């Protein structure tokens, strides 16, 4: 959907799940979630070299050391429509979601390439070059369908999901900045939420794995990814929520394909930060506003920086229980 990992780019955006992830919807029917996502990241020579290879700017006969950096600023608007079914599936609440993306990506790469190039006769010649690339795009991203099941047992909530990437967004293998991923993917996992309305304590964790299909434009296939999103919060009142969020992202499998010239290139990044949430009525619906931010660290073969999520969810409110009328007796 945005950020293993061809040039340090993956299907899964770490931080997508957070607090209350496994809690069922209050009522069946349609709900809508809108997200504003901003990330500012940078990376050094490992990612810069991979991006140069992907763009075709480092020929196969070139043995080169790259002293360069990549910087990116991404602003995305995500809208997800969800239908929650009234009929239970396997004893749980089923929901189907389709998420669409529109936004901007501004990426730059600058640095020097120093090495040797092998000629047609086998001779080796010194090589040096300075690259400076600026790339920007505003466009639609890929479509993301998702199916989920959620179960509630008192303060314990469980969920499982399957999702994937339909690569219809703006993508060119020779362009530094893209909104689309360029290949399909399937992602599945499960999660748990502890939520006690009496004390206001809440903790959620969702673990998932991504299988990436080959990018036919580059003949590059990213390895299997593992990602874990978590959130811990305290409801100060029935409306206000504060806490922490975090994620761990690790590529488990090596990249492959005839277009892979960077080796295994496993990606990794960790993130943690604060969050605040607010629940409020919107007519006969219920609104939920959440703001969370992450600072990233311990990255490897992947850009790192910071990102912010502003999420607004609108869903049907729980039905108000009605008091049964007293029986009437007539003689």
């Amino acid at each position: 959907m945005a950020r293993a990992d061809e040039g340090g780019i993956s299907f899964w955006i770490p931080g997508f799940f957070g607090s209350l992830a496994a809690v069922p919807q209050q009522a069946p029917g349609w709900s809508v979630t809108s997200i504003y996502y901003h990330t500012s990241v940078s990376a050094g020579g490992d990612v810069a070299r991979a991006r140069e290879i992907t763009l075709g700017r480092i020929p196969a006969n070139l043995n080169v050391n790259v002293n360069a950096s990549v910087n990116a600023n991404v602003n995305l608007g995500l809208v997800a429509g969800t239908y929650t079914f009234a009929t239970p599936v396997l004893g749980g609440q089923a929901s189907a979601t389709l998420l669409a993306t529109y936004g901007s990506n501004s990426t730059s790469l600058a640095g020097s390439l120093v090495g040797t190039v092998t000629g047609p006769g086998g001779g080796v010649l010194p090589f040096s070059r300075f690259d400076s690339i600026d790339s920007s795009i505003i466009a639609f991203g890929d479509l993301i369908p998702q199916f989920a099941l959620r179960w509630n047992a008192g303060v314990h909530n469980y969920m499982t999901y399957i999702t994937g990437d339909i690569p219809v967004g703006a993508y060119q293998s020779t362009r530094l900045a893209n909104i689309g991923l360029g290949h399909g993917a399937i992602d599945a996992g499960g999660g748990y939420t502890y939520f006690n309305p009496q004390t206001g304590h809440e903790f959620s964790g969702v673990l998932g794995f991504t299988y990436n299909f080959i990018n036919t434009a580059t003949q590059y296939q990213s390895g299997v990814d593992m990602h874990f999103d978590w959130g811990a919060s305290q409801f100060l009142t029935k409306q206000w929520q504060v806490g922490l969020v975090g994620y761990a992202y690790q590529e488990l499998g090596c990249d492959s394909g005839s277009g892979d010239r960077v080796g295994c290139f496993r990606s990794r990044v960790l993130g943690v930060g604060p969050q605040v949430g607010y629940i409020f009525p919107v007519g006969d619906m219920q609104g939920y506003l959440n703001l969370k931010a992450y600072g990233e660290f311990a990255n490897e073969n992947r850009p790192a920086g910071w990102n912010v999520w502003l999420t607004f969810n609108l869903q049907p409110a729980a039905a108000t229980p009605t008091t049964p009328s007293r029986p009437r007796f007539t003689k």
Side-chain angles (χ1 to χ4, degrees):
M1 187 157 51
R3 293 280 153 236
D5 290 304
E6 188 174 3
I9 306 297
S10 66
F11 161 70
W12 190 259
I13 306 180
F16 183 78
F17 284 123
S19 287
L20 304 171
V23 175
Q25 298 272 41
Q26 292 198 43
W30 285 100
S31 63
V32 63
T33 300
S34 57
I35 302 171
Y36 167 70
Y37 171 77
H38 170 83
T39 184
S40 293
V41 295
S42 60
D46 52 351
V47 175
R49 179 175 180 270
R51 296 300 291 140
E52 290 263 20
I53 290 174
T54 301
L55 297 174
R57 297 177 67 87
I58 299 181
N61 62 342
L62 184 63
N63 182 20
V64 66
N65 293 318
V66 178
N67 181 17
S69 62
V70 178
N71 296 278
N73 286 282
V74 178
N75 292 279
L76 298 178
L78 301 93
V79 177
T82 299
Y83 184 79
T84 302
F85 299 91
T87 304
V89 176
L90 300 177
Q93 184 188 74
S95 64
T97 300
L98 183 63
L99 184 146
T101 305
Y102 183 82
S104 65
N105 181 356
S106 297
T107 304
S108 62
L109 186 154
S112 60
L113 293 79
V114 179
T116 58
V117 61
T118 303
V124 178
L125 301 173
F127 174 90
S128 65
R129 187 179 75 202
F130 181 84
D131 270 356
S132 180
I133 308 171
D134 290 299
S135 180
S136 297
I137 185 173
I138 300 176
F140 285 98
D142 297 345
L143 291 176
I144 313 295
Q146 178 182 287
F147 180 79
L149 289 173
R150 291 178 171 85
W151 297 266
N152 171 259
V155 297
H156 304 289
N157 303 270
Y158 308 90
M159 66 94 73
T160 184
Y161 76 91
I162 183 169
T163 185
D165 184 85
I166 302 175
V168 295
Y171 172 81
Q172 289 182 12
S173 61
T174 56
R175 185 171 56 209
L176 184 61
N178 285 295
I179 300 295
L181 187 60
H183 64 82
I186 294 178
D187 188 284
Y192 168 78
T193 293
Y194 173 86
F195 178 47
N196 189 332
Q198 304 302 318
T199 63
H201 300 334
E202 181 271 340
F203 173 79
S204 298
V206 180
L207 177 67
F209 299 87
T210 305
Y211 175 82
N212 298 279
F213 295 100
I214 193 167
N215 184 333
T216 57
T218 60
Q219 296 302 309
Y220 191 107
Q221 185 170 18
S222 299
V224 173
D225 300 331
M226 178 186 72
H227 49 84
F228 180 71
D229 297 342
W230 61 269
S233 64
Q234 173 68 45
F235 277 84
L236 306 178
T237 67
K238 290 186 179 297
Q239 287 77 41
W240 284 101
Q241 164 200 28
V242 296
L244 295 173
V245 288
Y247 53 73
Y249 179 92
Q250 175 68 60
E251 184 179 5
L252 302 177
C254 287
D255 297 347
S256 61
S258 60
D260 176 17
R261 291 171 46 215
V262 298
C264 196
F265 203 68
R266 289 193 180 102
S267 297
R268 181 187 68 213
V269 72
L270 305 177
V272 68
Q275 69 162 326
V276 59
Y278 180 59
I279 299 173
F280 55 97
V282 181
D284 57 354
M285 307 280 282
Q286 176 180 283
Y288 175 62
L289 192 64
N290 181 274
L291 177 64
K292 56 185 181 180
Y294 299 86
E296 295 184 320
F297 57 97
N299 63 305
E300 182 177 333
N301 296 327
R302 181 182 177 95
W306 59 274
N307 56 81
V308 175
W309 302 69
L310 179 61
T311 302
F312 174 66
N313 174 262
L314 188 63
Q315 62 175 285
T320 303
T322 57
T323 302
S325 58
R326 297 179 60 184
R328 298 177 60 186
F329 297 95
T330 57
K331 294 183 180 179

